Amino acid sequence: MNLEKNSEQIKNIKKLKIYEKLGAVNFQKIVFAVEKLKFKIIKTFLPNYINFFDKQINKKTKKEIKKIKKEAEKRDKIEKNHPMFLKCYDKYISFKEKFNNKFTDKLTSIRNKIKAFNPRIIEFYDKYYKKVDLLKGLNNEQKVKKLKELSKFAKMYIREEMNYNKNKNYHLNKKRPTEIIFFLEWNKRVHVQSLTRNTLAIPILIILMIFGISYITPILILELLNAIINFECINIQNYNITRYEIKEKALKKIEERTANNYNKNYNEASKLIFENVYHNDELISINEIIEKATSIEQIQQLKNLLNEQLKSLTNEQSEFRQMKNNDNKKRYYKI
């Protein structure tokens, strides 16, 4: 067991060295510089950015919910307003389901043939291109609930990024360190898809340039630059994913210990926050949560929790300012 563990560790260290030679560490410095500039621009010129983000999320969520409700109410409306067309509608739905099933079976057959020929193609597709339907298998009521839940998570994440001036897909959360792997994999997926488009577009642009289409040159240059950026971003994420894999057990222990301490010290406050955030369609303010408190213990724990959060945020900002003046600390909180 120890031999396997040591072998895996050696393998991961070798991978890290390769990623570093390919520019992971140096390019990550550029990414963090851009990140710093990004938040500075947002906070200077877009003070209402969070409100704008919330409106966009609400707009998208309402559109999806409206679509679900419209589909659910369609048959009832036809039955009520145009009963003569109900049989035709039912036949159409039956035909549509049969067609979809046949289409799915055909795709499965093609997939199996490709897998038999070269399973790596299917593995690549599943990992980077297969769409994950978070609403699959849910009824209409559950779909609406899930969409509202995802909307709240998106809003909480953007607030966390704005508070700490850090993108979640490049920085470790000390209290929830294992969640970083989700964001690393997600970001890598985005750049792999983009790099694939670059790989397909560049040869076509080169051929068009050879045939004398002069205005293709600047487009080709932009495409090449974009390909380099995508490659380096993938390299950074490979580097960070490998670092995570090396530290995974330790990070899980830290997260478990933090969760236990949190439950021990803030159990009542945690229940209060969960009940009010989970059961509301929109995020609510801390004042609204305090108003819902039913005991002094809840309020005291909530006060302690807020003080801890404020202390943590103050320390982060102080340490971030120190990092700017000390190159040796530039890897702080990077996974």
Side-chain angles (χ1 to χ4, degrees), residues 46-216:
L46 301 170
N48 296 320
Y49 179 78
I50 289 179
N51 290 335
F52 172 78
F53 183 86
D54 285 352
K55 286 179 182 178
Q56 295 304 309
I57 289 291
N58 288 340
K59 186 178 178 182
K60 184 179 178 181
T61 304
K62 284 178 182 177
K63 186 178 178 181
E64 291 295 322
I65 290 173
K66 187 178 179 182
K67 185 179 176 181
I68 291 169
K69 289 182 176 179
K70 185 179 178 182
E71 195 66 32
E73 295 168 357
K74 191 179 288 185
R75 191 181 188 280
D76 293 336
K77 284 184 178 180
I78 292 172
E79 187 177 18
K80 182 180 178 181
N81 301 321
H82 308 286
M84 64 188 76
F85 295 118
L86 189 60
K87 285 185 178 180
C88 293
Y89 176 76
D90 287 341
K91 285 182 180 179
Y92 163 72
I93 293 298
S94 178
F95 170 78
K96 187 178 177 181
E97 286 178 358
K98 287 179 181 178
F99 177 81
N100 287 338
N101 289 335
K102 285 183 179 179
F103 184 71
T104 302
D105 291 341
K106 188 68 177 176
L107 286 178
T108 303
S109 176
I110 294 169
R111 175 187 172 88
N112 290 336
K113 288 178 182 178
I114 296 172
K115 191 174 182 179
F117 171 71
N118 191 337
R120 288 187 178 181
I121 295 173
I122 296 300
E123 288 172 9
F124 179 82
Y125 172 80
D126 286 348
K127 190 170 184 179
Y128 299 112
Y129 279 91
K130 188 177 181 180
K131 290 184 178 180
V132 179
D133 187 1
L134 297 173
L135 305 180
K136 189 176 181 180
L138 303 179
N139 60 39
N140 291 326
E141 186 179 343
Q142 289 171 330
K143 286 179 181 178
V144 171
K145 188 176 179 181
K146 187 68 174 178
L147 285 169
K148 289 178 179 179
E149 184 182 312
L150 293 172
S151 170
K152 284 189 287 187
F153 273 114
K155 291 173 183 177
M156 286 190 285
Y157 283 142
I158 194 64
R159 281 161 173 76
E160 188 174 359
E161 287 189 341
M162 293 298 290
N163 283 337
Y164 289 96
N165 299 318
K166 292 177 179 179
N167 292 322
K168 291 191 70 63
N169 53 306
Y170 280 103
H171 296 276
L172 189 72
N173 185 316
K174 289 193 296 180
K175 294 179 181 178
R176 303 185 304 276
T178 61
E179 76 172 10
I180 188 68
I181 192 64
F182 167 80
F183 293 102
L184 293 175
E185 293 285 5
W186 171 81
N187 189 257
K188 181 181 175 181
R189 181 185 171 100
V190 170
H191 287 292
V192 166
Q193 291 179 5
S194 187
L195 183 61
T196 305
R197 290 192 292 270
N198 298 145
T199 305
L200 294 173
I202 288 169
I204 296 170
L205 292 170
I206 290 172
I207 292 168
L208 291 174
M209 191 175 68
I210 290 170
F211 278 98
I213 304 176
S214 58
Y215 63 83
I216 291 297

Side-chain angles (χ1 to χ4, degrees), residues 274-289:
F274 176 80
E275 287 171 4
N276 286 281
V277 172
Y278 184 78
H279 294 294
N280 278 279
D281 291 342
E282 288 292 330
L283 287 180
I284 61 174
S285 69
I286 189 63
N287 289 332
E288 289 174 300
I289 293 175

